[in-house]
Amino acid sequence: MEDEEWVLVRRTTEKDWWSSSFMDDDDNGENSRSLKITFNGPAKHWTDAIPIGNGRLGAMIWGGVALETLQLNEDTLWTGTPGNYTNPHAPEALSVVRKLVDNGQYAEATTAAEKLSHDPSDVYQLLGDIKLEFDSSHLKYVEKSYHRELDLDTATARVKYSVGDVEYTREYFASNPNQVIATKISGSKSGSVSFTVYLDSKMHHYSYVKGENQIIMEGSCPGKRIPPKLNADGNPKGIQFTAILNLQISNSRGVVHVLDGRKLKVEGSDWAILLLVSSSSFDGPFTKPIDSKKDPTSDSLSALKSINNLSYTDLYARHLDDYQSLFHRVSLQLSKSSKRVSGNGPLHMKKHMANNNDLFFKRSEDDTVSTAERVKSFKTDEDPSLVELLFQYGRYLLISCSRPGTQVANLQGIWNKDIEPPWDGAQHLNINLQMNYWPALPCNLKECQDPLFEYISSLSINGSKTAKVNYEAKGWVAHQVSDIWAKTSPDRGQAVWALWPMGGAWLCTHLWEHYTYTMDKDFLKNKAYPLLEGCSLFLLDWLIEGRGGYLETNPSTSPEHMFIDPDGKPASVSYSSTMDMSIIKEVFSAIISAAEVYFFSQCHTLVIYFCFSLTYFGHLFLLALLCLLISFYNIHQILGKNEDGIVQKVREAQPRLLPTRIARDGSIMEWVCILA
């Protein structure tokens, strides 16, 4: 069916009823804004490549002409195995640090606090590359014809350029419903598509051709956080992975050859379609890779088999339905855009979206300015449409790197080209992970938060061991940096970043915020409240009697910040930083509010039940009253721990938390010790 001309008619979506697509262009096209990030040439740096993703699988598209690279990622590929995140020597070191802080020896406390540090996190890895090699004629492409874009409205990347009288186009998308990265390569002249394709990786791997149209790559992650080139037989078995690339070409024209047993060469086709699936042996943060029952190759073959009967158009239609059901929930139009950079907007619904590349790439003369140039010119031309584009790009990235059932977004989402990425590509809990998910609720993407909540649950399991052994405390704790194994111990190195037991507490604020947006009582009861309760138990034990009768945190840091202590020495460890106090106050307010929700929810149910009893039971009123009393008793049982236990302790602790200090200039003062 791919050889025939298709006409794709979009279904009416939620967005179409409020967007300007149904309006007349009576304002010179201003009602319809193009949500496209555009480039006038191939990527020269990784940050210039185009990211696509389905939450689990990701790719960076460089858009090269003679040589194209799709850098691939799968969100479960990490170094290491589940670890022991406890330190039996921590209580002794903690006692020393606290005494130094009490004596005002903050620089000395900062040095001593390094004994509280632990092993580093494990490292996010990469999957590999799809390499496409075209013949030398592509080196002579017409540079002015080149166009590369990411269409945020459809989550589709496209590249177009001309070689002689042939116009080549490539289209890429990552499908969530079918868990595949799809690429279509076509030329305007029959039989003009020829190239060689293979899979490669910086990881330990082996690739081979299966049959006449599949390339299979099998590999592994290091069992320890070391570069693969140093991998030794004595290391534990790491996460295993498989990627399979399936090739399809036009039925009427073209041949495929196998080269060197690991490459496929296409000659003289009208078009070619590449489908990439991948799986790993990761079976959760508490299962060692050596104990995993998953077979990545078998799982990948099954994934490919599940889409055998779907055409490229079917895959694309499913991709659009899934993606746009999320993306089209929010529209932003600030004001009229700059005439110089405004482009054609979406096609009207009354027009068919033909599968014709001219339609996808049709541009006005004003749409020749690349996004990079628009960013540079923003200093003098504060174009509101660029702000709109940036806003929607943020939503696009969250949809592309975090979906129900995937891993939580890491430091780089899911995109990574290095075996030793910056800051390990890990989840940093001292702001980065929270920032990933701040847009979720205000941007109407609540489903994208699901991986975060599952991750917090895993942290609470490991964190309860860390809290008990390291701090002799109840509840659970997490520190500054984590990984796929839900590491909860402090990081290695200096206290300025490693010593910060507020990571789990800050994440818990997302739980309450999710409830306030959604009013989902099942979520509050079954997910949020138990996690808040465990976090509050730790905070209550972490707080100690301090100066002036206040409850304080000691030791305390403000992540990655230092101060000059009263003796003129640089330090990072003191007591009761404003950041500590602010997070604790927010968590305490959340658990009290959550308990009140329980109470009023149950009371509301009882009032309805009581009215029902009076209306329908009549003379059986006494029986109804007895049932009512039993229900109140059940409420007491449910809320007993709230009124008499943890919530009561939280209420007692709240007024004893150190107030926020305000400086003469109105700024918030972070370091209490400087005033002491």
Side-chain angles (χ1 to χ4, degrees), residues 55-58 73-81 122-127 179 203 220-222 238-242 278-285 287 289 292 294 296 299 401 405-408 410 413-414 427 483-485:
R56 183 180 67 88
L57 291 172
N73 295 107
E74 203 272 356
D75 67 353
T76 64
L77 301 189
W78 287 73
T79 64
T81 62
D122 271 292
V123 185
Y124 184 50
Q125 300 290 272
L126 47 84
L127 176 58
Q179 290 297 301
M203 309 297 291
S220 63
C221 298
I239 295 171
Q240 310 294 297
F241 64 84
T242 297
S278 180
S279 302
S280 86
S281 64
F282 178 75
D283 199 17
T287 301
S292 174
K294 289 191 171 184
D299 290 345
C401 75
T406 72
Q407 299 304 304
V408 70
N410 62 54
I414 52 174
Q427 293 85 359
D483 52 31
I484 198 171
W485 310 111

Side-chain angles (χ1 to χ4, degrees), residues 470-509:
N470 289 34
Y471 303 123
E472 299 176 333
K474 297 185 288 293
W476 67 274
V477 63
H479 289 77
Q480 172 252 358
V481 64
S482 190
D483 52 31
I484 198 171
W485 310 111
K487 165 184 160 65
T488 52
S489 56
D491 194 18
R492 63 178 172 181
Q494 299 178 26
V496 65
W497 66 77
L499 179 59
W500 194 65
M502 293 291 137
W506 199 1
L507 287 177
C508 279
T509 63

Side-chain angles (χ1 to χ4, degrees), residues 126-164:
L126 47 84
L127 176 58
D129 301 328
I130 298 176
K131 296 286 190 179
L132 294 166
E133 296 176 349
F134 297 86
D135 62 53
S136 59
S137 67
H138 286 249
L139 294 172
K140 302 176 182 179
Y141 75 98
V142 181
E143 291 190 13
K144 289 185 178 180
S145 70
Y146 187 95
H147 181 76
R148 180 165 56 101
E149 70 176 32
L150 170 61
D151 186 345
L152 301 181
D153 190 63
T154 61
T156 306
R158 300 185 183 93
V159 174
K160 183 184 78 167
Y161 59 90
S162 295
V163 177

